[in-house]
Amino acid sequence: MSADFLYMIEVVINGLMAGVLYALVALGFVLIYKASGIFNYAQGVMALFGALTLVGIMEGQVPFAHIINATFGTDLHQFGWTVPALLAILLTVGVMILLAWMVHTFVFRHLVGQEPIILFMATIGLAYFLEGIGDLMWGSDIKTLDVGIPQGGSLWVENLSSGLGGEDFYGFFIDKLDITASVVAILLVAGLIAFAQYTKQGRAMRAVADDHQAALSVGISLNFIWVLVWSLAGMVALVAGIMWGAKSGVQFSLSLIALKALPVLMLGGFTSIPGAIVGGLIIGVGEKLFEYTIGPMIGGATENWFAYVLALLFLVFRPQGLFGERIIERV
């Protein structure tokens, strides 16, 4: 095989890996939108907040240290201990579940029956509130997140592929973190599908997604289901925050990963978990291939806009996405 063809295969593989990371963020949007009809603008900030909280717990950082020190004249920053990564992740999951309960109890429970634009505006307010709270709790400096995920090129993949193209080809460079993220995403999606199909709570969640009134009539608690859905979305956001934070550091620009999820949702559909995965893979591979083949002809930097152009085409010709439900309103 020629070296050029092998390089293209490497581009495709790296695109698939990037697409998995996009799909992780899109999953949280799908879970909340499917169950409650709310487009959660705060999903990216939830990933940031989860990653910030995880780093703070692991490092034994005192929450709201800046406010405490300014108010009482103290010099508190650390508790004096560190927390193992696995325990810190479990504690952060607990924080995300508590956050889900608070969001439903204090915000969205009071907005039941409101227009979708009102609910959307509420998620915008929630996003800025969480960003501010994250800053006050853990500080705004860039943090390193190390939960033991291996990083750097995979020598096994490089050695396995180096003999394919002769002496002009040195093997595929595949980041071990991307491989780990792909495996985690596959397990996460499989777990979500199994939960929705084979558990009582999962079936109740599907019933609420199909018809709120019918679910109420058979005794399903909408409050419980919505807290459950926000909790699951928070856990998915935490996983996405861990992967992106380990890759590029935990910083406030991490919340912008939600913008990459929008084209994924437009392609896959706002109500489909498999659609989020397929949409993420299409966007990831498409933008890498376009940059590799067309980018040099037009000056490069096509990854910044390719996904949005593709999403715009889908909005014109198939607005419900590949797996979304076509809704017809009769007037």
Side-chain angles (χ1 to χ4, degrees):
M1 286 185 282
S2 68
D4 288 340
F5 179 72
L6 291 171
Y7 282 131
M8 183 169 290
I9 293 177
E10 180 181 358
V11 169
V12 170
I13 294 174
N14 279 295
L16 290 171
M17 302 293 182
V20 167
L21 292 174
Y22 299 156
L24 274 177
V25 184
L27 274 176
F29 284 97
V30 170
L31 286 170
I32 293 177
Y33 188 84
K34 186 174 177 64
S36 62
I38 298 173
F39 180 79
N40 181 24
Y41 181 85
Q43 188 66 29
V45 184
M46 287 170 64
L48 168 66
F49 183 80
L52 284 172
T53 302
L54 177 59
V55 173
I57 292 174
M58 287 179 63
E59 295 180 352
Q61 188 176 345
V62 178
F64 301 106
H66 297 294
I67 297 177
I68 294 172
N69 293 336
T71 303
F72 300 102
T74 56
D75 190 27
L76 296 173
H77 294 284
Q78 304 288 330
F79 283 114
W81 65 72
T82 57
V83 179
L86 182 58
L87 178 58
I89 290 173
L90 293 176
L91 292 173
T92 307
V93 167
V95 171
M96 300 306 287
I97 293 173
L98 177 62
L99 174 65
W101 177 83
M102 293 176 66
V103 166
H104 172 70
T105 302
F106 298 112
V107 182
F108 290 105
R109 192 177 69 176
H110 304 285
L111 297 176
V112 173
Q114 295 292 332
E115 294 293 326
I117 186 63
I118 301 297
L119 301 175
F120 175 63
M121 294 298 292
T123 66
I124 294 178
L126 175 64
Y128 284 102
F129 175 77
L130 284 178
E131 193 167 317
I133 286 293
D135 186 5
L136 291 175
M137 286 182 69
W138 308 113
S140 58
D141 54 311
I142 299 175
K143 299 172 175 60
T144 301
L145 177 57
D146 183 9
V147 294
I149 300 176
Q151 298 190 46
S154 172
L155 292 177
W156 181 81
V157 174
E158 188 174 341
N159 293 333
L160 184 67
S161 57
S162 60
L164 298 176
E167 57 186 27
D168 293 331
F169 186 70
Y170 299 101
F172 298 145
F173 180 85
I174 308 295
D175 197 320
K176 287 182 281 189
L177 188 147
D178 291 337
I179 296 174
T180 303
S182 300
V183 173
V184 170
I186 291 170
L187 294 175
L188 184 62
V189 171
L192 287 172
I193 293 174
F195 175 80
Q197 295 286 343
Y198 301 113
T199 67
K200 180 181 178 181
Q201 293 79 9
R203 288 191 292 270
M205 188 172 70
R206 289 165 54 203
V208 170
D210 290 337
D211 192 321
H212 292 177
Q213 296 301 322
L216 273 174
S217 68
V218 296
I220 295 175
S221 170
L222 293 185
N223 288 331
F224 171 77
I225 293 300
W226 284 333
V227 170
L228 174 63
V229 168
W230 277 88
S231 298
L232 290 174
M235 294 179 201
V236 171
L238 174 60
V239 173
I242 291 173
M243 296 305 168
W244 282 94
K247 189 179 183 73
S248 56
V250 179
Q251 50 193 314
F252 278 76
S253 62
L254 182 65
S255 62
L256 299 178
I257 60 175
L259 297 179
K260 273 292 188 181
L262 295 180
V264 173
L265 294 168
M266 294 173 190
L267 262 68
F270 281 80
T271 59
S272 173
I273 291 177
I277 301 301
V278 173
L281 296 178
I282 291 174
I283 292 293
V285 172
E287 68 180 15
K288 297 292 184 185
L289 276 179
F290 194 83
E291 176 70 26
Y292 178 72
T293 57
I294 308 298
M297 304 178 191
I298 57 177
T302 61
E303 290 187 34
N304 296 329
W305 53 261
F306 170 81
Y308 300 97
V309 173
L310 185 60
L312 181 61
L313 294 175
F314 265 77
L315 285 176
V316 172
F317 295 105
R318 190 177 173 84
Q320 73 270 26
L322 293 172
F323 296 88
E325 301 171 358
R326 189 184 183 102
I327 300 174
I328 300 175
E329 293 186 1
R330 302 189 184 279
V331 296

